[in-house]
Amino acid sequence: MKIIFFLAVIGLCSAGLRDRASRKIGVALSHLHLGSSQYQYIAGTEFNSMTAEWQMKWDPIGNDPNTPNFAWAEELMSFAARHNQSVRGHTFIWHSAVPTWVQALENNAPALQAAISSFITSTATHFRGRCYEWDVVNEVIEGDGSYRNTIFYRTLGTTYIADAFRLARAADPYAKLFINDYNIEGVNAKSNALYNLVVSLLAQGVPIDGVGFQGHFIVGQLPTDFAANMQRFANLGLDVSITELDIRMNLPPTAANLQQQAVDYANAFRACYQVARCTGVTVWGVTDLYSWVPDFFPGQGAALLFDEQYATKPAYYSVESVLN
Ligand code: G3I
């Protein structure tokens, strides 16, 4: 195993999923784990696209209103450049990862609008031309189809959504601009509301290019209409992308759940590849060891393609077979 690892490290056998993929196959990365050679090796040889798991959000960049911090993001951008990876920008406007000083602007529409304008313009300008897609707004719809009750909605109504796309386009005309959300993978009240919002934005001439389907699933519960649902958005003339795929299960993993997970991952990739406008699939992390899932859903995890010892799981091979 060590000799293979050594040869891989020096690049003599680095065939990975990216070598089989005709579309983007991405991974969410964190600068916190770049010190691990295994983390770096898998991230660099298996994936041709990178999303910063946190480092390109408002709080890490704009926690200090006077001094933007791009250092953590630039560590990840350098990694992507060294490994010939494209970058998905994630994300300008989201109700989480909002700096404390921005939260204090609630109910002050002019000030919040100015803060949004400054953050999007400066951040999109900083990364101009280096991101093939940006998640401009993230998770703006509730499960029942209403607008999500966030500081942005409470203070600005729905205008912040179109404004964010216009600001991003003005600062970076090269990036495809996406709206991103979870639990919209099947046809349901939430995805129907998102569909209607996108139709409305397009009718207003808002520069929106695509829809991101996060794909945070529970094993055995993928919607059977995933591809058809993405297709209806593509039929609006938009790109689609599976942006944060992970498929969690109760811990400890059982052989049956790992096998079902392999089926589910294969079906998620098939759903993307059945839609011409689907630009690719990003998995939300390298290894189960650093997945967000156990912290957020106690007792659940094992959601990714590599386990906590960086070993491939059945899902890795089912994805490989779909890509082949
Ligand atoms: O590393 C910093 C540390 O330096 C700092 O002192 C500390 C202060 O809170 O924060 C640490 O950063 C943490 C970061 O992950 C590390 O990567 C943040 O606390 C923590 O909130 C952040 O969590 C991320 C979360 O989004 C919130 O931004 C998760 O890693 C990330 O997986 C998760 O991803 C989201 C997508 O963006 C949107 N869709 C849902 C998905 C899962 O929640």
Side-chain angles (χ1 to χ4, degrees):
M1 179 60 180
K2 286 198 185 312
I3 181 65
I4 292 175
F5 183 59
F6 171 73
L7 291 175
V9 166
I10 61 174
L12 291 186
C13 58
S14 59
L17 297 174
R18 64 183 290 175
D19 302 294
R20 295 166 172 79
S22 56
R23 304 185 186 187
K24 300 297 183 191
I25 177 164
V27 65
L29 297 182
S30 175
H31 72 291
L32 295 173
H33 313 312
L34 288 179
S36 158
S37 52
Q38 287 180 293
Y39 185 90
Q40 285 210 34
Y41 166 61
I42 289 171
T45 56
E46 299 291 349
F47 304 97
N48 58 26
S49 175
M50 188 280 292
T51 301
E53 189 173 13
W54 174 70
Q55 294 71 10
M56 290 169 72
K57 295 170 182 172
W58 201 340
D59 194 32
I61 289 175
N63 184 262
D64 175 342
N66 304 310
T67 317
N69 166 32
F70 295 111
W72 295 328
E74 288 298 343
E75 281 185 58
L76 295 172
M77 296 298 281
S78 299
F79 179 89
R82 289 197 306 275
H83 294 85
N84 192 26
Q85 293 175 325
S86 306
V87 176
R88 283 202 89 252
H90 175 82
T91 178
F92 292 126
I93 301 299
W94 182 35
H95 60 271
S96 182
V98 179
T100 308
W101 68 270
V102 175
Q103 297 176 41
L105 303 180
E106 178 149 6
N107 303 318
N108 183 343
L112 185 56
Q113 217 155 17
I116 288 171
S117 177
S118 171
F119 172 64
I120 294 179
T121 301
S122 60
T123 303
T125 300
H126 178 88
F127 294 107
R128 180 184 170 99
R130 296 194 283 164
C131 299
Y132 69 102
E133 294 172 355
W134 258 108
D135 290 330
V136 174
V137 296
N138 189 46
E139 303 176 12
V140 303
I141 302 286
E142 294 286 7
D144 64 3
S146 62
Y147 282 101
R148 189 157 192 152
N149 181 15
T150 69
I151 174 178
F152 305 111
Y153 181 66
R154 291 191 297 272
T155 305
L156 300 167
T158 60
T159 60
Y160 77 95
I161 298 172
D163 290 349
F165 279 96
R166 292 189 175 106
L167 287 162
R169 175 71 95 230
D172 185 354
Y174 303 105
K176 296 282 191 174
L177 304 182
F178 275 58
I179 187 166
N180 191 51
D181 216 324
Y182 66 92
N183 289 356
I184 57 164
E185 295 80 11
V187 177
N188 56 39
K190 185 171 183 178
S191 63
N192 288 337
L194 182 65
Y195 183 88
N196 294 334
L197 168 58
V198 168
V199 168
S200 168
L201 292 171
L202 289 167
Q204 299 168 55
V206 172
I208 178 171
D209 303 302
V211 179
F213 297 77
Q214 289 184 12
H216 293 297
F217 293 120
I218 296 170
V219 70
Q221 298 185 20
L222 258 67
T224 53
D225 56 357
F226 194 2
N229 186 38
M230 285 194 285
Q231 187 60 59
R232 69 166 170 162
F233 286 88
N235 292 343
L236 296 173
L238 297 171
D239 289 339
V240 294
S241 182
I242 301 175
T243 56
E244 306 180 19
L245 183 60
D246 52 29
I247 305 177
R248 64 184 185 269
M249 64 184 72
N250 291 330
L251 298 175
T254 63
N257 276 342
L258 289 168
Q259 283 307 324
Q260 181 60 51
Q261 183 185 58
V263 170
D264 293 341
Y265 262 98
N267 287 336
F269 273 78
R270 280 194 196 95
C272 175
Y273 279 70
Q274 284 165 8
V275 180
R277 297 288 302 258
C278 183
T279 61
V281 181
T282 292
V283 296
W284 205 243
V286 172
T287 161
D288 293 340
L289 179 61
Y290 299 126
S291 168
W292 69 289
V293 170
D295 291 336
F296 208 87
F297 299 104
Q300 298 184 53
L304 296 168
L305 298 177
F306 293 83
D307 70 15
E308 296 189 345
Q309 289 74 41
Y310 292 95
T312 48
K313 296 159 66 179
Y316 175 91
Y317 299 102
S318 67
V319 169
E320 184 182 54
S321 64
V322 170
L323 296 177
N324 280 340

